[in-house]
Amino acid sequence: MSANPATEPAPTPTPASHDRPRRPGGPRRSATPRDSRDSRAGRRRTGLLTAGLLLLGGAVATAFVVRADITDPPFQGLDDRWLGWMGGPHDGPYLAVATVLNWFGGPVGAVLPLALLVLLLVRGRSASAGFLLAAYLGGNMLVIQGLKHLVDRPRPADPLVRVDHGSFPSGHAATAALLVVVVGVLLVPAARRRAWWYGGAAFTLAMMWSRTWLHAHWLTDTVAGAAAGAGAGLLVWWLFQPALAREDVRSHDRRGAAAGADTDTVTPATG
């Protein structure tokens, strides 16, 4: 005898996925590659801040030590010995290298950032142009010139090139280190920056040697100058890092869109 259909319990319906209750916060959206890039763009790396503060703080602390006794600071003996090792003869290939570096830290060093600024503005990279301006104005005019006027240390006797007032810190060494940071940030891909930092360190050391070989600076002037220039550059990089990263994301997206438009353009076949 068959069971009465009217008395059989109705099957429990299985709710469809779209009938399931949603969370109060609304539907969850999976992160897209663009979202992850934008999230990374808003972050600042604390390592840049730490390194910048340590380098710049070391240069400033040394400045106050020199200012306490500009004619005989605690490390004057080291500076004197180093200057003796740089005694000469001042000719031959060493003179040629030192002369080139002297010009690079002077007129040429001013032309290169200006040319790079014009290039960035023409290409519409406003964040990069702002970073360049802030680094050079803040690093050279605020930090280096500020320390020069604060300390006003006498230079070594009989420099072989024309110099201005204030031996501490070395403006040439500071400009070299600052240029290494700026070019590395703006023009060198992240995957190749380690090699660039090594090469930039060698270039900065060569500039430091040339300033002491030309008797334009004491050794500690060049060390403090390089530290101040690199520290100022790293601090400005830390400040501009989110803006630079967002600009890089937008540039990457524009290149991708342009490449997609090129592939969508089909040339009709003739025959």
Side-chain angles (χ1 to χ4, degrees):
M1 187 172 177
S2 61
N4 188 354
T7 60
E8 290 182 355
T12 303
T14 302
S17 59
H18 60 271
D19 293 334
R20 292 175 183 172
R22 297 178 179 178
R23 296 184 177 181
R28 298 180 63 185
R29 182 171 61 90
S30 58
T32 63
R34 174 62 184 270
D35 296 332
S36 60
R37 294 201 307 269
D38 288 344
S39 176
R40 291 194 299 269
R43 301 174 184 172
R44 290 189 177 103
R45 286 186 290 176
T46 57
L48 292 178
L49 177 62
T50 302
L53 289 176
L54 287 175
L55 289 170
L56 189 56
V60 173
T62 307
F64 279 100
V65 172
V66 177
R67 187 174 185 269
D69 189 353
I70 59 174
T71 59
D72 190 21
F75 35 75
Q76 186 62 48
L78 173 62
D79 285 341
D80 289 335
R81 286 193 298 272
W82 181 267
L83 190 66
W85 295 336
M86 298 291 104
H90 293 88
D91 53 17
Y94 296 110
L95 178 60
V97 173
T99 302
V100 170
L101 290 173
N102 179 62
W103 278 99
F104 189 89
V108 179
V111 171
L112 286 179
L114 181 60
L116 180 56
L117 176 63
V118 173
L119 176 63
L120 294 173
L121 292 175
V122 169
R123 298 184 62 181
R125 295 178 58 180
S126 57
S128 297
F131 163 71
L132 176 62
L133 277 175
Y136 268 86
L137 292 179
N140 282 327
M141 295 186 178
L142 182 62
V143 175
I144 303 304
Q145 292 302 318
L147 291 177
K148 277 183 176 292
H149 285 84
L150 173 68
V151 179
D152 199 20
R153 184 185 189 184
R155 291 181 183 267
D158 303 322
L160 302 179
V161 290
R162 182 177 297 178
V163 294
D164 57 6
H165 79 94
S167 183
F168 184 97
S170 168
H172 280 64
T175 300
L178 183 60
L179 182 65
V180 168
V181 174
V182 170
V183 173
V185 173
L186 297 180
L187 301 182
V188 181
R192 300 179 181 177
R193 278 181 185 156
R194 175 173 294 183
W196 172 259
W197 300 141
Y198 288 139
F203 168 70
T204 304
L205 288 172
M207 182 65 78
M208 295 165 60
W209 161 82
S210 72
R211 301 313 289 167
T212 57
W213 192 81
L214 293 170
H215 291 197
H217 286 282
W218 306 102
L219 175 63
T220 49
D221 300 338
T222 64
V223 174
L234 292 176
L235 287 178
V236 177
W237 184 12
W238 178 79
L239 289 172
F240 275 79
Q241 192 175 24
L244 293 172
R246 288 192 296 267
E247 182 181 73
D248 184 64
V249 169
R250 289 193 299 269
S251 177
H252 182 273
D253 290 344
R254 284 196 298 267
R255 289 194 299 267
D262 291 339
T263 57
D264 290 341
T265 304
V266 179
T267 303
T270 60

